[in-house]
C-alpha cells in the first residue's frame, strides 16, 4: 500500500503483514499496527484517520494498493 500523509504530503509505501513478519526496515508493517488498522478494508483515494497509542491522530490518503 502507498499512502500520503494529508498534513505533510509525505508519501510512504509498506507491505501489510502478520505480526510475525514485521520488519520496518524492509517496509513491512503489521495489520494490527495503527496504520495497518486504519488501512484495512479501504480503497484507493480513501482518507483514513490513524490514531497512534500516544495520541496525535493524523489523516492519510491511499494512493496505491497492490494485492
Amino acid at each position: 500500500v502507498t499512502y500520503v500523509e494529508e498534513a505533510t504530503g509525505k508519501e510512504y509505501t509498506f507491505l501489510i503483514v502478520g505480526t510475525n513478519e514485521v520488519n520496518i526496515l524492509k517496509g513491512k508493517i503489521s495489520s494490527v499496527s495503527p496504520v495497518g488498522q486504519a488501512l484495512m478494508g479501504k480503497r484507493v483515494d480513501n482518507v483514513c484517520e490513524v490514531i497512534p497509542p500516544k495520541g496525535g491522530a493524523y489523516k492519510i490518503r491511499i494512493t496505491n494498493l497492490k494485492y
Side-chain angles (χ1 to χ4, degrees):
V1 64
T2 301
Y3 66 86
V4 174
E5 284 187 10
E6 291 283 284
T8 65
K10 290 184 182 178
E11 183 175 83
Y12 298 90
T13 299
F14 289 105
L15 179 62
I16 299 175
V17 298
T19 55
N20 293 338
E21 301 172 83
V22 171
N23 185 329
I24 195 70
L25 297 176
K26 292 185 178 181
K28 297 179 180 182
I29 61 170
S30 171
S31 59
V32 297
S33 69
V35 171
Q37 289 179 343
L39 294 171
M40 289 310 214
K42 303 298 190 292
R43 299 175 188 262
V44 171
D45 290 327
N46 283 174
V47 175
C48 318
E49 184 173 40
V50 178
I51 304 172
K54 294 185 179 184
Y58 58 96
K59 294 188 180 194
I60 60 177
R61 182 175 40 86
I62 302 169
T63 58
N64 190 29
L65 288 174
K66 290 184 183 179
Y67 296 94

